[in-house]
Amino acid sequence: MDDLAPALTQILDGRWGHVRQRLRAHEDTSRFAPPATPLSMEEHRQYTKRQLLALASEPFAPDGLTKGMGGTGDFGASVTAFEMLGHGDLSLLVKAGVQFGLFGGAVANLGTQRHHTAYLPGMLDGTLLGCFAMTETGHGSNVQHLETTATHDPTTDEIVVHSPTPGAQKNYIGNAARDGRMAAVFAQLITADGEGHGVHCVLVPIRDETGEPARGVTIGDCGAKGGLPGVDNGTLEFDNVRVPRWNLLNRYGDIAANGSYTSPIDNSSRRFFTMLGTLVRGRVSVAGGAGAATRSALTLATRYALHRRQFSAPGGGEELTLMSYRAHQRKLLPAIAKSYALMLAQNQLVMMMHDVAGHEGNAPEEGQRELEARAAGIKAIATRHATDTIQMCREACGGAGYLADNRLTALKDDTDVFTTFEGDNTVLLQLVAKGLLTEFQETFEDNSPLAMIAFASRFTASSILEKTPAAGLIARLKSRAPSDDTDEAELNRGRQLSLFVDREKHILEGAALRLGKAAKAEPDVALRIFNNAQDHLLAAAEAHIDRVLLEALGQAVEACEDGPVKELLDSVTDLFALSTVERHRGWYLEHGRLTPTGSKAVIRSVGVLCKDLAPHARTLVDAFAIPDAWLGAPQLLEPLPTVRDE
């Protein structure tokens, strides 16, 4: 069945498959690989910087800029190339994300021509290494209420950047501790009359020509972390640091020489969320990188399971491989199926991002809102899948998985923080729920509990489930769903989709009903109702993304020509669908969507699918097409010799 792997690869690679293939075939296999030998933290930081500067010769960073900024405007190619870095050294992935995605993205998307001309060439070739200074010690997820101030002084026509409290310290800032020369600092913009205009971004040099901290800038080093040793995370504090007014990234808000403030967006909250929306590419990229790291771990664990032997069958001679055991199959194969779903959904997300970015800030608002919600949800689910799956893969390889040479511990450590940065997953899932409650019609101008309650009070679920690229497919497949609850019913794709859609719709309507009651309550009671309903909102968001993933797989199956490839992908889709139903079978039983007999049939079907797919496990992970040079871990990839050399 190995001849099926290339066909599956073509399906998984998606629209920018040529970018993936170019990187796989790169003449320098060490360009993206982790260090060949263990390094100290400082050595790893130096190594990662060298790797980052080497990336400057690759085309994917210019792909992320419009032609007017000196790029190609192939945004999907840029994000896809970034995703592929997730198969190699994740410190490089994160450092490149800070440089090209966050710092470069802030200049490109929040600045105007003067900033593009002055800073983007240096950002691209690595002569200007930058930071993205948003997160503060006291206001991590509550970005709208950051404490750092940027006050215009009309007497000198400068902006004074200041950290007024210890909580205003910028924390966990990549590139800050060692390499960064300039920071894109998010701060409350204040004009000379004392009026605040909300959070804006100002470019602040943080080091002088000698590499020492700039005057008024205090730089700290976060030191050793749980992972990502090559990323120099640091802290930044500003003591009345003066920069030219020219350094204000002024696409969405500007100050004139006389001190007057103007903006094309009158409402400060709307302006703030519009600015953040232009930076959504970071969340898309983190989801992709997490998916790549997960596929690497699954490839290592699966290939190990196919040659590692443990115990022989009664009356047999040779010991059985780990993959022969149902418990091992149940560990690896549902995770592989979910990784297929996430990769296909990620491809759709990248296409959506590419189309929105192509409008250069003038995309239809509904499309922008849906992109933000979809990116938030897939980032949350993909990073949680990475954390859970890489740990499972480590355990599935026993002691061999615990050896540093075999990479699984490094993958686990390096991806652990992915659930936190570019948005905490709990916060992101609430954003998804908010998008669902508003049917992506309203901007995310206010994330407060009272705003969520107001949205819920106006909610109708009539059109949410039809707003999807696969709406026609869902309708066709649901029409094939059997009405009975026989043991075989759950294997029908229409029945599977009906179960997913019904769960999403019911949970979302229930959450809206609970929050809607709060609209008529006193504020303190309303807050308590919202707090009690948070788990309901998170469940609605998760159910929505589960449905998005099944749609992505279903579309891929429907697009295949009849034959072995379609049959194999169809089985993978069944396994994802039924293992997801199995995980939530308590809900389905409680709400009468499954009978006890049907629930048992789901469990039995998952086991049978795992058994049937086990002989194709190597094909399924080979379809990820990860070069062995990127994987490393030869002890996991290949069996040990059975005879010792004399």
Side-chain angles (χ1 to χ4, degrees), residues 7 119 210 436 442 634:
Y119 300 117
T210 68
L436 295 171
E442 300 184 52

Short mmCIF file of all heavy atoms in Angstrom, two decimals, residues 7 119 210 436 442 634:
data_model
loop_
_atom_site.label_atom_id
_atom_site.label_comp_id
_atom_site.label_asym_id
_atom_site.label_seq_id
_atom_site.Cartn_x
_atom_site.Cartn_y
_atom_site.Cartn_z
N ALA A 7 -0.12 9.82 -3.30
CA ALA A 7 -1.44 10.37 -3.65
C ALA A 7 -2.08 11.05 -2.44
O ALA A 7 -2.71 12.11 -2.56
CB ALA A 7 -2.34 9.26 -4.18
N TYR A 119 11.72 50.41 7.07
CA TYR A 119 12.00 49.27 7.95
C TYR A 119 11.81 47.88 7.33
O TYR A 119 12.44 46.92 7.78
CB TYR A 119 11.12 49.37 9.20
CG TYR A 119 11.36 50.64 9.98
CD1 TYR A 119 10.34 51.57 10.16
CD2 TYR A 119 12.61 50.91 10.53
CE1 TYR A 119 10.55 52.75 10.87
CE2 TYR A 119 12.84 52.09 11.24
CZ TYR A 119 11.81 53.00 11.41
OH TYR A 119 12.03 54.16 12.10
N THR A 210 25.94 49.90 19.56
CA THR A 210 26.89 48.98 20.19
C THR A 210 26.21 47.73 20.73
O THR A 210 26.89 46.83 21.23
CB THR A 210 27.62 49.69 21.35
OG1 THR A 210 26.69 49.95 22.41
CG2 THR A 210 28.25 50.98 20.88
N LEU A 436 -19.90 32.85 16.78
CA LEU A 436 -21.09 32.05 16.47
C LEU A 436 -22.36 32.77 16.92
O LEU A 436 -23.38 32.76 16.21
CB LEU A 436 -20.99 30.68 17.16
CG LEU A 436 -19.86 29.77 16.67
CD1 LEU A 436 -19.73 28.56 17.57
CD2 LEU A 436 -20.12 29.33 15.23
N GLU A 442 -20.89 40.94 13.47
CA GLU A 442 -20.47 42.09 14.25
C GLU A 442 -18.99 41.98 14.59
O GLU A 442 -18.44 40.89 14.71
CB GLU A 442 -21.29 42.18 15.54
CG GLU A 442 -22.78 42.33 15.28
CD GLU A 442 -23.56 42.51 16.57
OE1 GLU A 442 -23.20 43.40 17.36
OE2 GLU A 442 -24.52 41.76 16.77
N PRO A 634 17.02 8.33 14.71
CA PRO A 634 17.19 7.07 13.96
C PRO A 634 16.78 5.83 14.75
O PRO A 634 16.34 4.84 14.17
CB PRO A 634 18.68 7.05 13.62
CG PRO A 634 19.32 7.99 14.59
CD PRO A 634 18.30 9.05 14.85
#
